[in-house]
Amino acid sequence: MSGFQRLAARHFSSSWFECPSLPDGTRVMLRPLGPGDALLLRESVLQLSERSRYLRFHGPKTELSDDELRQLTDIEGEERVALGAFSGMPRQLVAVGHFIRRGEAPDAAAFAMAVVDPFQGRGLGALLLARLRLAALERGIARFTGEVLDENGPMLGLLAKLHARLGVPSWGVRSVELPLS
């Protein structure tokens, strides 16, 4: 990435936010996560059903460690970006998506997402992934990579709609490569 690209003004900066409506009319606020969101993030993971936590973390997990919370909320905004979707009063964090640029391949970033159960199947995951894609493209990232459990049908369906390359399942996990352009 050139110095110019690093210095270029970013649309998806720490001050960016958007208040779109989901297909069912529910309004959410999308914005980057920051250090003040750690408690909301901890609560949102606790709101996930056991099944949703299993599908997201590929095993049993009840909460995020302090280090994991820091990694997702103390974001520098260039190599790592985390976007949250907020809804309701009092405000709740209902979805998180993030990417981390891979050191061995500067044009690739590992990505992950989670949507709390009451918001699943309502278009929020697709919306959040679309904004993550735009944020990645403006940082010179050309593809997302990751792993998805083979039993995570909704995520695999979304990725297939976006023409992601899905690997052959190995021990119940598929590798994913999603070209962003």
Side-chain angles (χ1 to χ4, degrees), residues 30-50:
L30 304 177
R31 66 167 174 77
L33 294 182
D37 295 317
L39 182 59
L40 289 173
L41 180 55
R42 185 180 302 269
E43 290 171 358
S44 74
V45 171
L46 294 173
Q47 289 178 28
L48 292 171
S49 67
E50 187 175 322

Side-chain angles (χ1 to χ4, degrees), residues 5-18:
Q5 284 176 305
R6 285 192 183 278
L7 295 175
R10 299 284 188 217
H11 177 76
F12 291 93
S13 66
S14 60
S15 61
W16 170 82
F17 73 95
E18 179 182 354

